[in-house]
Amino acid sequence: MGIIEHMFPVESIVEDVSLMKRSAPPLPTREDEALIQDYMLHAVLESVLKRDIRLLPTLELKLADLYALLLRHAGKDNADRLWAARQQMRRRGIRILGRSRTAAGFEIKYLCRGYECMLAFDSAAFIQDLASRIGAVSQNRL
């Protein structure tokens, strides 16, 4: 009997491996839902900022260039946060399957570590949260 066999008998290793079971991935958590909500807020904010930047030249404003510059800076900050949220989602095993707008608000269908999930957002609460984020971004820029 060799030294390795003496320390770890083959029979006990085979028994230990056969007793091992695959464990299920962890269930989705509140932190995962908060990350999805953060992603959704930044994605909607990105589309709003792009639309506003596109509309600014059509308006007759005296400070249109300044407004566009502020919106582009806010868009860059938002894009950085959106990228960070996507990276964190990738690390946590979260993938967006689809998002849609409903009469009550928004719905997101996503895959979280193999579990299919759905998250619904109320329009009023979502818009209020979005407005508070826009306010926070604008305070950081001025």
Side-chain angles (χ1 to χ4, degrees), residues 46-111:
E46 181 179 51
S47 65
V48 168
L49 288 170
K50 284 181 179 179
R51 183 203 61 197
D52 288 354
I53 290 170
R54 194 175 55 250
L55 289 176
L56 267 176
T58 65
L59 304 174
E60 294 182 19
L61 301 173
K62 291 182 181 182
L63 299 173
D65 293 338
L66 178 61
Y67 296 146
L69 180 64
L70 288 172
L71 289 177
R72 279 194 294 274
H73 283 298
K76 169 125 179 44
D77 288 347
N78 185 64
D80 292 344
R81 291 184 176 128
L82 181 59
W83 181 83
R86 285 181 177 144
Q87 293 301 313
Q88 195 171 8
M89 286 169 54
R90 188 173 293 128
R91 279 193 297 274
R92 288 175 165 254
I94 300 171
R95 185 176 52 155
I96 302 296
L97 299 175
R99 49 185 186 176
S100 59
R101 191 170 179 128
T102 63
F106 297 97
E107 264 185 15
I108 269 196
K109 292 181 181 169
Y110 62 98
L111 198 60

Side-chain angles (χ1 to χ4, degrees), residues 34-35 37-42 45 74 78 81 85 126-140:
L35 182 59
Q37 182 176 3
D38 197 42
Y39 163 81
M40 187 67 176
L41 284 167
H42 289 298
L45 184 56
N78 185 64
R81 291 184 176 128
F126 187 83
I127 290 171
Q128 184 178 8
D129 198 9
L130 185 62
S132 69
R133 287 185 189 238
I134 292 172
V137 168
S138 66
Q139 286 178 355
N140 289 340

